[in-house]
Amino acid sequence: MFGLFKKPARRDTAAPSDISRSDTPAAETASSFDSAGAAPVPAADADAAIPAETVAPAPAETPPAKRSWAERLKAGLSRTRQQLGGGLANLFGWRKIDEALLEELEATLLMADCGVGVTQHLIDKLRARWKKDRLETASQLQETLASELLQIIAPLEEALDVSGHKPCIIMLAGVNGSGKTTSIGKLAKYFQTQGKSVLLAAGDTFRAAAREQLTTWGERNNVTVIAQDGGDAAAVIFDAINAARARGIDIVLADTAGRLPTQLHLMEEIAKVRRVIAKADPSGPHEVLLVLDANIGQNALAQVKAFDAAIGVTGLVLTKLDGTAKGGVVAAIARQCPKPLRFIGVGESIDDLQPFRAREFVDALFEPAADGKT
C-alpha cells in the first residue's frame, strides 16, 4: 500500500485501465513509467521514498500466577461461603441482634448441612455469648460463630504420618462417584512432592475402565501401577505390596471397588481385601481412608459409620467441596463421626487435594461482616 506514495514525474498517455490491469510488481511498474520519458529514479532513492512498514512485536503472554492454597481453598469454598458466610453477612448487617435473628441464623446453618446437633450447639453458644458479653455488632457475632465452629472441627486436623512403615500401605474405599480413583492420583502427586516413592494398586476390578483411569494417573505422575485384566482385587493388592517391598517403595496406594453401604455382600468383599492386606503385611493396612463426596451432605455420616464397621476407617478424604454449598458437613462429621479429616479437595487440578487445616477452612468460609450498630 505504501507504493502509492511514490509520485512519478510525468505520466504518459497510457490509459489508467492498462496500469490497473498490470500484473507486474511495483518495481517493474516504476520502470514502465521511466521508459515513457520520466526521469529515472535510482533504486536507493526509490527505497527511501517508500516508508518501511513497522510491525509492533506481539506482547509476550504472561503466564497467570499460580494461586496459593489459601486462595484456591477460598475459591473452592465459594458456594458454601455464599450459603453460610454470605447469608450471615445479610443477617448481621446493620440489624439488631435478637431472637428473631438467631432463628434465621439457625436456618442458615441447617441449609449449609451443619446438622441439627451442631446447629443447636452453635446457637446455644451464640445466645450465651450475646447475653454475657453484650454483643452488638455484626463482626462481633460473626467472630464468635467462627471461633465456636473452629473449636468443633479442630480435632479433625491430624496429619497423616507415613514414616513408620516401608512400604506404608494406604487402602482407599468409597462409593462409586465419590472421586476415589482421582483422589489416589492426586495423593500420589502429593506424596511425591514430599520426596516419597509411590506405587499404585488397581484393586477396583469391578468398575469398567477403573484400571485404565488409574493407569493414566500413573503415567501422569510417572508412577508404577500394578494391575491385572479382571481377577481378584485382593490378589492384585497382594502382588502390589510384594512388588513395593522388593523395589523399596515408600507408599502403596490401594484402590478398591466402589461399594454402597447397603450392599452387605459387597461390603464383605472389601473387608476381605483388608484381611488379605494383613496377610501380606501383618501390620497393614497402615491407613484406611474413606473418600466422601461433599455433595451428599448428611448422607456422608451414614457412609462413615457403615464403612467403619466393615473395614475400620482411620481417616477421611472429603472431595468436591468446590461444587457444593454443603461444606458445613465437616462440622457434622466432627460432632458425630470424629475421624481425622486427612485431606480435602476443592478443584480438579492435580494439586487441589491438600491436608485439612481447620483454621484455613474456617477463614475461607466467612465473608467480612458489615460492621455497624443498630
Side-chain angles (χ1 to χ4, degrees), residues 22-368:
S22 174
D23 294 330
T24 59
E28 295 178 12
T29 305
S31 299
S32 66
F33 290 153
D34 296 339
S35 65
V41 180
D45 294 340
D47 293 339
I50 303 176
E53 182 177 2
T54 58
V55 180
E61 294 185 3
T62 303
K66 187 175 181 178
R67 295 185 299 175
S68 66
W69 167 245
E71 293 172 332
R72 283 180 284 143
L73 178 62
K74 188 170 184 178
L77 291 176
S78 60
R79 293 192 180 184
T80 299
R81 185 169 60 254
Q82 291 169 5
Q83 175 66 53
L84 184 59
L88 298 180
N90 293 334
L91 289 176
F92 294 162
W94 303 96
R95 178 175 173 181
K96 180 181 178 180
I97 301 176
D98 54 17
E99 288 294 336
L101 183 144
L102 292 178
E103 289 182 4
E104 293 184 41
L105 174 57
E106 181 178 5
T108 299
L109 293 172
L110 289 172
M111 289 292 291
D113 253 32
C114 289
V116 175
V118 171
T119 298
Q120 190 59 54
H121 173 80
L122 290 173
I123 294 298
D124 291 344
K125 288 286 187 179
L126 288 176
R127 182 179 287 110
R129 290 285 300 276
W130 164 46
K131 294 180 178 179
K132 177 183 176 181
D133 300 337
R134 299 182 180 276
L135 304 181
E136 296 181 356
T137 67
S139 61
Q140 289 175 333
L141 192 57
Q142 185 162 304
E143 287 173 5
T144 302
L145 176 60
S147 175
E148 295 295 338
L149 184 59
L150 178 60
Q151 290 186 28
I152 292 175
I153 69 174
L156 298 181
E157 182 180 336
E158 185 177 332
L160 176 58
D161 183 12
V162 297
S163 61
H165 305 275
K166 187 170 183 176
C168 180
I169 305 167
I170 302 176
M171 175 182 175
L172 287 96
V175 303
N176 285 326
S178 63
K180 174 171 49 65
T181 304
T182 299
S183 294
I184 290 176
K186 294 180 178 181
L187 285 173
K189 180 65 174 180
Y190 170 78
F191 287 124
Q192 283 181 314
T193 62
Q194 307 300 310
K196 304 293 184 181
S197 56
V198 182
L199 184 144
L200 306 182
D204 186 354
T205 58
F206 186 77
R207 180 171 65 90
R211 178 171 57 89
E212 289 77 8
Q213 183 183 0
L214 196 63
T215 300
T216 300
W217 277 108
E219 293 172 351
R220 290 180 63 180
N221 294 321
N222 195 24
V223 170
T224 300
V225 178
I226 303 298
Q228 294 179 4
D229 293 329
D232 182 64
V236 173
I237 297 175
F238 186 90
D239 291 344
I241 294 171
N242 289 330
R245 186 182 294 114
R247 301 176 189 183
I249 299 294
D250 295 318
I251 297 173
V252 175
L253 296 174
D255 193 10
T256 59
R259 297 287 185 258
L260 291 175
T262 55
Q263 297 172 317
L264 298 181
H265 63 294
L266 297 180
M267 292 294 285
E268 175 55 31
E269 286 187 17
I270 200 171
K272 173 192 171 183
V273 171
R274 194 188 197 287
R275 293 193 297 269
V276 170
I277 291 175
K279 290 181 179 179
D281 186 333
S283 64
H286 307 113
E287 183 77 10
V288 180
L289 293 177
L290 176 62
V291 181
L292 299 169
D293 181 349
N295 289 281
I296 64 176
Q298 292 292 303
N299 288 334
L301 302 176
Q303 291 186 18
V304 174
K305 294 176 182 178
F307 279 93
D308 188 34
I311 57 176
V313 174
T314 58
L316 305 175
V317 178
L318 191 61
T319 66
K320 307 180 185 180
L321 277 166
D322 57 312
T324 181
K326 299 180 178 181
V329 71
V330 173
I333 291 172
R335 194 76 173 174
Q336 298 187 40
C337 306
K339 299 287 184 181
L341 182 52
R342 305 295 194 188
F343 296 90
I344 58 174
V346 293
E348 297 181 356
S349 298
I350 196 169
D351 56 353
D352 282 338
L353 186 73
Q354 294 288 327
F356 172 73
R357 300 178 183 90
R359 167 60 67 180
E360 290 180 350
F361 187 85
V362 172
D363 288 346
L365 277 180
F366 292 95
E367 296 280 6

